[in-house]
Amino acid sequence: MKALRLGLGELVILGDLLTRPRKMHRAPEQQAAVASAAGQLALYQFRACPFCVRTRRTMHKLNLPIELRDAKNDPEHRQALEQGGGRIKVPCLRIEENGETRWMYESKDIISYLNQRFA
């Protein structure tokens, strides 16, 4: 069963690579402002999770340099996700704004947030 799951995960990743959307192009000063704002975000994710792939595709399309944190293979990130967000569920976007930290779960909510903020 685990081998099947791993194989399907690799197929999802390959499909993403083959069908990845084009990156949004911005003027250099606009992209610098986006990069600065994206510096306050981090995505906790698993590499082969289909919902994480979907979220990363949106990040790629919007040309967002958001830090990816592997909550499956990195014990520190896994612990931070559990302590900060309250559960180990991915994808989870960590948002730091005005000195406060928010944890956003659900790929649809994350994608909607990224589109509203950066599209």
Side-chain angles (χ1 to χ4, degrees):
M1 188 61 141
K2 186 174 181 177
L4 178 62
R5 195 171 346 134
L6 288 173
L8 288 174
E10 293 302 316
L11 281 175
V12 168
I13 292 168
L14 178 63
D16 172 44
L17 291 174
L18 295 174
T19 63
R20 186 167 281 175
R22 290 186 180 174
K23 284 185 177 182
M24 175 185 283
H25 292 284
R26 298 182 183 92
E29 58 277 351
Q30 288 176 322
Q31 185 61 36
V34 165
S36 177
Q40 298 176 344
L41 306 174
L43 182 71
Y44 289 82
Q45 48 99 43
F46 296 167
R47 182 174 166 261
C49 165
F51 300 104
C52 296
V53 169
R54 190 170 140 198
T55 304
R56 290 193 311 262
R57 286 176 64 85
T58 298
M59 291 167 41
H60 178 82
K61 183 178 83 174
L62 295 174
N63 201 5
L64 300 174
I66 296 173
E67 179 185 356
L68 299 177
R69 297 182 178 174
D70 186 351
K72 185 174 185 177
N73 298 312
D74 187 320
E76 287 182 35
H77 291 321
R78 187 177 184 89
Q79 183 178 11
L81 175 61
E82 185 173 28
Q83 288 179 348
R87 56 190 166 162
I88 298 172
K89 181 181 175 188
V90 293
C92 181
L93 186 67
R94 182 176 189 264
I95 306 166
E96 291 185 38
E97 291 178 315
N98 304 322
E100 294 187 18
T101 302
R102 272 192 314 155
W103 298 82
M104 182 180 292
Y105 291 92
E106 300 300 329
S107 60
K108 286 183 182 181
D109 294 340
I110 295 169
I111 289 168
S112 177
Y113 171 81
L114 295 175
N115 279 318
Q116 288 176 355
R117 185 165 178 196
F118 297 104

